[in-house]
Amino acid sequence: MQNISTNQHESRVAFVLGGSGGIGAEIVERLADNGFAVAVHYSGNKSKADSLVNQIVNQGGKAISIGGDVADEVDMVKAFTFVEEHFGGIDVVINTAGIMLLSPIAEVSLDDLDKMHRTNIRGTFVIAQQASRRVRKGGAIINFSTTVTRTQLPTYGAYVASKAAVESITLILARELRGKDITVNTVAPGPTATPLFLDGKDEQTITNIANYSPSERLGSPKDIAETVLFLATSGRWINGQVIFTNGGFA
């Protein structure tokens, strides 16, 4: 379940759920570049997570990888405990883990709906519970939604329903953690040039989507990682918010 590639240190510690994915991996690298010890979570791609850990360690950083199902509370208790035992505590929890299955509402498979709700909603609750109990004073919890909660695009109904729930969980948790000096925010990216987004789209479709933004380009994982880094470090006066990181897409 775990891969350990460094000894315990005194750095600030970030636990990135979905850290082996496109945006997640960029966040991991950005945090490591800024001195964080990073725990890289993966669901199925252990080799990618381990490769990222090795890259960070070879550059003098501190990183470990750990697998598990974000919607399984037993897995996540073990994962959070492992990170705490290895690094001495947790300061920032970033939950990028999620799945997206698209279909018109009239045709959506209820099995697909259940899969998204399990990962995107139950998973967010499981992570939020562990993070709210374990993140140290001065820390941050950062969830992930999507700009599509505001653009109302066809075929996104079931997915958006799950991500709208993430936004609501965030707003309430921020207020429930009153007095603990822990911020809770959600980052809601617009169209971002990751393999997941680009897969199955022809060049003209991608160009049309990019041109919809005033910036006339897609976002990059680096754009999203910069927002996360700000919330994880100096953005202490931002709390209980949904940050639409989309270049003006909506």
Side-chain angles (χ1 to χ4, degrees):
M1 185 177 182
Q2 304 99 352
N3 176 55
I4 305 175
S5 297
T6 183
N7 294 321
Q8 189 167 331
H9 293 271
E10 296 299 323
S11 306
R12 291 193 77 206
V13 178
F15 188 11
V16 184
L17 287 302
S20 64
I23 291 175
E26 188 68 39
I27 291 168
V28 166
E29 291 185 35
R30 195 76 181 89
L31 291 169
D33 287 345
N34 280 266
F36 277 82
V38 186
V40 183
H41 163 267
Y42 62 90
S43 176
N45 201 335
K46 183 178 188 299
S47 61
K48 188 171 182 180
D50 287 348
S51 177
L52 184 56
V53 165
N54 291 334
Q55 173 188 318
I56 292 168
V57 171
N58 289 339
Q59 293 173 348
K62 295 148 285 194
I64 57 175
S65 68
I66 184 165
D69 177 357
V70 294
D72 185 320
E73 65 275 24
V74 175
D75 274 6
M76 289 302 101
V77 167
K78 291 178 180 177
F80 273 80
T81 300
F82 175 71
V83 176
E84 284 184 321
E85 289 177 348
H86 187 74
F87 286 128
I90 301 173
D91 300 288
V92 178
V93 172
I94 301 158
N95 184 15
T96 74
I99 60 174
M100 180 176 67
L101 303 169
L102 303 182
S103 178
I105 291 171
E107 301 170 12
V108 67
S109 159
L110 295 183
D111 285 342
D112 285 350
L113 178 69
D114 289 344
K115 288 175 185 177
M116 282 189 285
H117 280 201
R118 184 179 187 278
T119 298
N120 298 353
I121 300 178
R122 179 186 169 93
T124 297
F125 264 103
V126 170
I127 298 307
Q129 286 182 333
Q130 292 303 311
S132 62
R133 296 167 186 169
R134 298 175 187 251
V135 168
R136 295 186 285 207
K137 183 177 180 180
I141 300 169
I142 303 167
N143 292 318
F144 264 70
S145 180
T146 171
T147 287
V148 187
T149 57
R150 299 299 182 271
T151 57
Q152 295 92 39
L153 295 177
T155 75
Y156 281 82
Y159 175 66
V160 162
S162 71
K163 287 301 187 177
V166 172
E167 295 180 13
S168 296
I169 293 165
T170 295
L171 304 185
I172 292 171
L173 183 60
R175 286 148 183 85
E176 290 180 345
L177 295 183
R178 172 185 290 272
K180 294 190 175 183
D181 192 22
I182 298 171
T183 61
V184 189
N185 294 288
T186 285
V187 174
T192 305
T194 64
L196 178 65
F197 173 80
L198 298 173
D199 184 46
K201 295 181 177 68
D202 59 43
E203 186 174 342
Q204 187 59 54
T205 297
I206 293 169
T207 298
N208 291 342
I209 294 172
N211 286 338
Y212 188 82
S213 164
S215 302
E216 296 185 332
R217 68 173 178 86
L218 297 177
S220 72
K222 289 183 179 180
D223 293 321
I224 312 306
E226 285 295 332
T227 300
V228 171
L229 178 65
F230 176 69
L231 293 174
T233 54
S234 57
R236 301 301 304 166
W237 196 232
I238 300 175
N239 192 22
Q241 304 298 318
V242 179
I243 311 298
F244 290 91
T245 310
N246 57 27
F249 185 84

